[in-house]
């Protein structure tokens, strides 16, 4: 009897895994529950997403909702990713929008999180689509989200490391810019000094004082007190997509 129960439990677990896999396989790449897109816009996005998914072997989702009904955006996005968009060979990513609270959240799985990182990749992706969201240009936002994802996936495949805006920083360019700035400041200062007729070089500080204008009769220093203020060092808060193996982030638009 116990053996039969164990077999039954194993079959149930296997069936559940199969069901989740099939759900992820057949889930539409764009689920516009909030009705933000025209039919032709949705079709264009789905076609673009299919091309990016095939090119990089990933899963990409866009989900809009009228309301989260009080549910946390991060946990909701993570749950949608796990149930409907899991199984991307090189990772999965989902953008969730909730219109009543104007929340957005991007969720990445453990594989995609190593490609589109929380610290470098997600802020870059957010900069691409968030301005469109704030302007209520939803098609533009989703299009930029797909393009940004494609861009960072291609960068990772080409460079062998995740995209980071600091990788594009050039120390040599900074040194050159500082040097040019200093030279420009010296030049401007020299020109201004040359235009001032009442300015002349003085060999000592006495030349700047009129005779008899200052007379020191006593010199005394008195120490009063020292004020010391201590503040507790703030603890670094954790960001990301809601904990666990998920990554990404979100906010308001």
């Amino acid at each position: 009897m116990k053996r039969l129960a164990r077999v039954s439990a194993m079959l149930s677990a296997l069936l559940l895994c199969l069901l989740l896999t099939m759900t992820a396989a057949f889930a539409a790449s764009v689920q516009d529950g909030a009705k933000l897109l025209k039919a032709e816009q949705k079709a264009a996005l789905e076609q673009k997403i299919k091309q990016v998914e095939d090119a990089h072997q990933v899963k990409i989702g866009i989900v809009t909702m009228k309301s989260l009904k009080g549910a946390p955006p991060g946990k909701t996005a993570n749950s949608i990713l796990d149930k409907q968009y899991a199984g991307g060979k090189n990772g999965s990513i989902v953008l969730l929008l909730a219109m009543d609270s104007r929340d957005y959240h991007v969720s990445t799985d453990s594989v995609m999180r190593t490609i589109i990182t929380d610290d470098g990749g997600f802020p870059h992706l957010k900069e691409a689509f968030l301005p469109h969201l704030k302007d209520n240009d939803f098609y533009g936002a989703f299009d930029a989200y797909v393009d940004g994802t494609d861009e960072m996936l291609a960068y990772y495949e080409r460079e062998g490391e995740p995209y980071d805006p600091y990788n594009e920083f050039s120390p040599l360019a900074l040194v050159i810019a500082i040097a040019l700035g200093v030279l420009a400041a010296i030049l401007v200062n020299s020109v201004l000094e040359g235009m001032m007729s009442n300015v002349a070089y003085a060999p000592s500080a006495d030349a700047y004082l009129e005779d008899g204008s200052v007379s020191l009769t006593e010199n005394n220093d008195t120490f009063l007190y020292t004020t010391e203020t201590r503040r507790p060092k703030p603890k670094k808060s954790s960001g990301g997509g809601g904990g666990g193996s998920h990554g990404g982030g979100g906010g308001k638009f």
Side-chain angles (χ1 to χ4, degrees), residues 145-238:
Y145 156 74
V146 177
D147 283 341
T149 300
D150 180 33
E151 172 196 350
M152 284 186 283
L153 288 168
Y155 181 92
Y156 185 84
E157 293 167 0
R158 183 175 65 252
E159 303 295 335
E161 61 182 6
Y163 175 83
D164 191 325
Y166 289 105
N167 291 339
E168 299 182 354
F169 172 75
S170 172
L172 178 60
L174 176 62
V175 172
I176 294 175
I178 293 175
L180 291 175
V182 171
L183 290 175
I186 292 174
L187 179 61
V188 171
N189 185 65
S190 299
V191 172
L192 292 176
E193 285 185 354
M195 295 172 61
M196 297 173 65
S197 59
N198 61 340
V199 175
Y201 172 75
S204 66
D206 293 343
Y208 293 100
L209 299 175
E210 294 183 5
D211 292 339
S213 63
V214 177
S215 177
L216 296 177
T217 59
E218 183 178 352
N219 187 5
N220 185 27
D221 291 333
T222 303
F223 177 78
L224 296 177
Y225 55 83
T226 299
T227 301
E228 182 177 343
T229 303
R230 296 187 179 186
R231 298 179 181 176
K233 186 177 180 180
K235 295 182 179 180
K236 190 175 181 180
S237 59
S238 59

Side-chain angles (χ1 to χ4, degrees), residues 33-226:
K35 306 298 181 185
L36 303 177
L37 300 170
K38 298 178 181 179
E40 59 270 22
Q41 292 176 330
K42 182 179 178 182
L45 284 171
E46 288 176 336
Q47 183 178 4
K48 173 177 279 191
I49 288 174
K50 182 67 166 57
Q51 292 173 350
V52 176
E53 287 180 335
D54 291 344
H56 304 290
Q57 295 298 296
V58 297
K59 289 280 188 179
I60 300 174
I62 297 172
V63 179
T64 72
M65 303 173 65
K66 293 180 180 179
S67 174
L68 290 171
K69 298 181 179 178
K75 289 185 178 180
T76 303
N78 293 344
S79 178
I80 291 173
L81 184 146
D82 292 340
K83 293 179 180 179
Q84 302 183 41
Y85 297 97
K89 181 180 178 181
N90 294 320
S92 301
I93 183 171
V94 169
L95 170 61
L96 170 68
L97 234 62
M99 292 308 298
D100 64 335
S101 56
R102 295 187 73 83
D103 280 298
Y104 74 90
H105 199 95
V106 173
S107 177
T108 55
D109 66 3
S110 58
V111 180
M112 185 68 76
R113 192 178 190 180
T114 64
I115 301 173
I116 300 178
T117 61
D118 299 347
D119 296 332
F122 168 68
H124 178 70
L125 184 61
K126 178 181 68 174
E127 288 176 1
F129 69 76
L130 188 55
H132 295 282
L133 286 183
K134 291 183 176 180
D135 291 337
N136 291 325
D137 176 16
F138 300 110
Y139 175 76
F142 300 149
D143 192 59
Y145 156 74
V146 177
D147 283 341
T149 300
D150 180 33
E151 172 196 350
M152 284 186 283
L153 288 168
Y155 181 92
Y156 185 84
E157 293 167 0
R158 183 175 65 252
E159 303 295 335
E161 61 182 6
Y163 175 83
D164 191 325
Y166 289 105
N167 291 339
E168 299 182 354
F169 172 75
S170 172
L172 178 60
L174 176 62
V175 172
I176 294 175
I178 293 175
L180 291 175
V182 171
L183 290 175
I186 292 174
L187 179 61
V188 171
N189 185 65
S190 299
V191 172
L192 292 176
E193 285 185 354
M195 295 172 61
M196 297 173 65
S197 59
N198 61 340
V199 175
Y201 172 75
S204 66
D206 293 343
Y208 293 100
L209 299 175
E210 294 183 5
D211 292 339
S213 63
V214 177
S215 177
L216 296 177
T217 59
E218 183 178 352
N219 187 5
N220 185 27
D221 291 333
T222 303
F223 177 78
L224 296 177
Y225 55 83
T226 299

